[in-house]
Amino acid sequence: MHSCPSPRHLAKPLQTMNNSYSAMRIFITLLVAMCLRIAPLPEILAPLNPDWVLLVLIYWSLAIPERVGIAHAWCLGILVDVLLGRHFGQNALIYSLIIYACLVWHRQLRQFPVVQQSAFIFLCLLLSQLLLFWFKNVQAAMQISGAFWLPILSGTVLWPFIYQLMRSIRRL
Amino acid sequence: MRLLIAIIASISLLITEYRSERLLPLRATLSVFTDSLKYAVDLPVSLFEKTSNELASYNTLKKENTSLRQEQLINRMQLLKFDALEKENIRLRALLENSFKLGEQVLIAELLSINMVADEHIMVVNKGTRFGVHPQQPVLDANGVVGQVFRALPFSSEIMLITDPNHAIPVQVNRNGLLTIAVGSGMSNQLNLPYLPNNADIRPGDLLITSGLGGIFPAGYPVGVVDDFPETTNKSIPHITATPKSLLDRKRELLIVWSSNALMPLTAPLSKTPADNE
């Protein structure tokens, strides 16, 4: 549950004051998310590792939609493509699509209770995984096990915690 | 509108990368940033290993030292024999008017302990194009073939393991020279041998070595051991699998190999061998 978004005219002066400060915070959280994305987890947990970068990016796009845009999402997607050794543009496409949806519906999403938000996150992650599935099939014929879809579930389950954590970081 | 631009940009990037190598410099530049992240994630694990090495007691070090020394003695003895055999092999091949591949140069690379994509068998090592690593180089460890360099970046390179479902390696059975192809299964301890006729002479426990066909892997390195499979006398083809020799998920040190593609001239070994043999 998000507290009522502050009206623009109140938020503006505050924003200009700690503009660089919040930009740095976004940068650092995304950096940590990228590290978590490639963290060496034990073999049982590894297939559960959700797309942290996307989750953190979704949070920022809901919390401060006026500062996080599709361009940011696209650039970040390119970086993640390099990080994970995927073809250029896969994650960029996925991130920009999902962030677009978040920006369009951010007003409604912010009013939603956490469960409903999680349902939305589930849909986002499903979309991203479906697109990845499609890219993989275009690249090479390979069998994809059921474990491929697990990050959707783990991401959905983790979303409330990520949301709370990120909100406390934003309020810091 | 912006979304449209983003989608078009991503798709055009995807297409350009499928079609050409033109985006490699861009990837190399961006990889400087992402590689620093990879090293940062790897740092705790490598630091832990280093400190545990530092803290090893005098006694364990001494024990390790003596065992290593013995092992080295044995290895050297075997190597001497191997040297003589190699010379003999070259001579015999020259007699048969066959060419022989020269020895290989290796570079020791360390695995970075990071997880890339869970269902792909791709690992990252700490040596890249700055050390002259280039794509398609074979990667070995002390026990056998590990995989090949898939993408070389300035500070790191991605290695596709032989167990990756997209990877296939030409092999031969060491016992009788039967040629086939071992395809990755997606599991870290299994290779599939799908292209065998049902009367193929292959038995459980057979050692598979690289055949040298395909031109990527040098010939003669162990790849895996054929697993048990039910003996069938009728026409049904058993599903034959093999276990890789290399410890694919435990080793930290790997060898990246430069196999010199220059074939040894036919006449040279004959004139050279007397001088070399002394």
Side-chain angles (χ1 to χ4, degrees):
Chain A
M1 268 194 305
H2 197 282
S3 64
C4 194
S6 47
R8 284 285 168 88
H9 66 274
L10 266 178
K12 266 275 160 63
L14 243 173
Q15 248 175 44
T16 44
M17 218 169 69
N18 47 22
N19 221 346
S20 61
Y21 185 50
S22 72
M24 205 177 74
R25 232 176 312 184
I26 296 176
F27 182 70
I28 288 174
T29 49
L30 286 173
L31 218 59
V32 171
M34 284 171 106
C35 286
L36 279 173
R37 188 82 176 83
I38 54 166
L41 294 174
E43 213 163 316
I44 317 156
L45 286 178
L48 281 170
N49 201 12
D51 194 343
W52 294 95
V53 185
L54 182 58
L55 290 172
V56 169
L57 196 64
I58 289 175
Y59 174 81
W60 286 121
S61 73
L62 294 182
I64 34 174
E66 60 280 346
R67 306 222 31 216
V68 178
I70 290 172
H72 296 99
W74 192 82
C75 292
L76 197 69
I78 290 287
L79 269 183
V80 172
D81 282 331
V82 179
L83 182 73
L84 298 181
R86 319 311 293 269
H87 275 283
F88 267 129
Q90 295 188 2
N91 283 302
L93 180 62
I94 291 167
Y95 286 8
S96 37
L97 276 175
I98 289 174
I99 295 309
Y100 176 74
C102 292
L103 290 178
V104 168
W105 289 310
H106 76 270
R107 266 169 235 285
Q108 292 94 311
L109 281 168
R110 285 205 284 206
Q111 313 298 333
F112 278 173
V114 170
V115 181
Q116 255 170 303
Q117 262 186 9
S118 289
F120 175 76
I121 297 298
F122 179 80
L123 286 179
C124 286
L125 294 177
L126 184 67
L127 173 69
S128 91
Q129 217 68 356
L130 273 173
L131 281 170
L132 275 180
F133 179 75
W134 179 64
F135 284 131
K136 273 193 180 204
N137 272 328
V138 170
Q139 266 172 24
M142 55 189 280
Q143 322 97 313
I144 285 172
S145 63
F148 179 75
W149 308 101
L150 280 177
I152 306 178
L153 290 180
S154 61
T156 314
V157 170
L158 281 172
W159 171 253
F161 303 103
I162 295 171
Y163 188 80
Q164 288 300 327
L165 181 72
M166 294 296 294
R167 194 155 69 152
S168 54
I169 289 176
R170 190 165 66 97
R171 299 272 165 80
L172 221 63
Chain B
M1 184 61 206
R2 275 202 204 147
L3 179 69
L4 208 65
I5 294 172
I7 289 175
I8 291 169
S10 336
I11 290 176
S12 53
L13 273 181
L14 272 172
I15 291 171
T16 2
E17 202 169 34
Y18 274 121
R19 291 269 170 86
S20 70
E21 309 260 285
R22 233 173 296 158
L23 289 175
L24 271 179
L26 174 64
R27 187 179 282 274
T29 328
L30 289 175
S31 76
V32 176
F33 172 71
T34 53
D35 279 355
S36 55
L37 280 183
K38 285 176 189 172
Y39 280 98
V41 170
D42 175 62
L43 193 65
V45 183
S46 58
L47 262 186
F48 173 75
E49 261 173 29
K50 251 175 217 158
T51 44
S52 63
N53 266 348
E54 298 273 327
L55 296 177
S57 71
Y58 174 75
N59 265 339
T60 43
L61 280 179
K62 205 173 171 187
K63 237 181 252 168
E64 203 178 285
N65 204 340
T66 44
S67 75
L68 281 177
R69 200 166 290 176
Q70 282 171 355
E71 205 172 298
Q72 199 226 10
L73 205 68
I74 295 167
N75 281 343
R76 189 182 280 179
M77 205 182 71
Q78 279 176 344
L79 214 64
L80 282 174
K81 215 161 75 184
F82 180 75
D83 255 3
L85 280 176
E86 195 186 17
K87 290 278 152 58
E88 188 184 324
N89 201 340
I90 292 173
R91 263 198 315 269
L92 289 174
R93 274 174 187 272
L95 285 177
L96 289 171
E97 304 209 320
N98 213 334
S99 51
F100 189 75
K101 270 207 171 175
L102 278 171
E104 290 97 17
Q105 212 188 340
V106 295
L107 172 75
I108 294 180
E110 232 172 83
L111 214 63
L112 296 182
S113 50
I114 57 173
N115 273 348
M116 293 280 274
V117 187
D119 55 328
E120 282 174 8
H121 291 227
I122 287 176
M123 285 180 167
V124 182
V125 294
N126 66 351
K127 297 274 157 57
T129 49
R130 281 164 61 89
F131 285 88
V133 177
H134 57 83
Q136 295 197 327
Q137 264 185 302
V139 180
L140 313 171
D141 74 0
N143 298 302
V145 178
V146 170
Q148 59 176 296
V149 176
F150 172 61
R151 188 181 275 141
L153 300 169
F155 296 98
S156 69
S157 34
E158 293 160 20
I159 288 170
M160 186 184 264
L161 302 184
I162 51 173
T163 50
D164 189 286
N166 284 326
H167 192 271
I169 175 172
V171 294
Q172 60 178 336
V173 178
N174 195 25
R175 184 165 51 82
N176 53 11
L178 174 73
L179 294 168
T180 184
I181 291 173
V183 182
S185 65
M187 280 173 282
S188 66
N189 56 359
Q190 202 179 36
L191 296 166
N192 291 335
L193 301 170
Y195 309 114
L196 278 172
N198 53 359
N199 61 352
D201 177 19
I202 190 162
R203 294 184 208 143
D206 274 347
L207 178 69
L208 299 173
I209 60 172
T210 50
S211 64
L213 298 178
I216 290 175
F217 292 95
Y221 284 104
V223 176
V225 176
V226 177
D227 294 329
D228 287 336
F229 57 86
E231 291 274 349
T232 47
T233 45
N234 54 359
K235 278 174 195 157
S236 67
I237 307 166
H239 176 69
I240 299 178
T241 58
T243 312
K245 281 287 260 182
S246 54
L247 307 166
L248 288 176
D249 43 358
R250 272 162 283 174
K251 269 282 157 64
R252 238 178 116 76
E253 267 96 27
L254 299 174
L255 301 170
I256 299 178
V257 179
W258 278 261
S259 54
S260 51
N261 276 325
L263 294 170
M264 204 140 163
L266 288 176
T267 46
L270 276 177
S271 55
K272 254 186 193 172
T273 34
D276 282 0
N277 265 350
E278 56 187 24

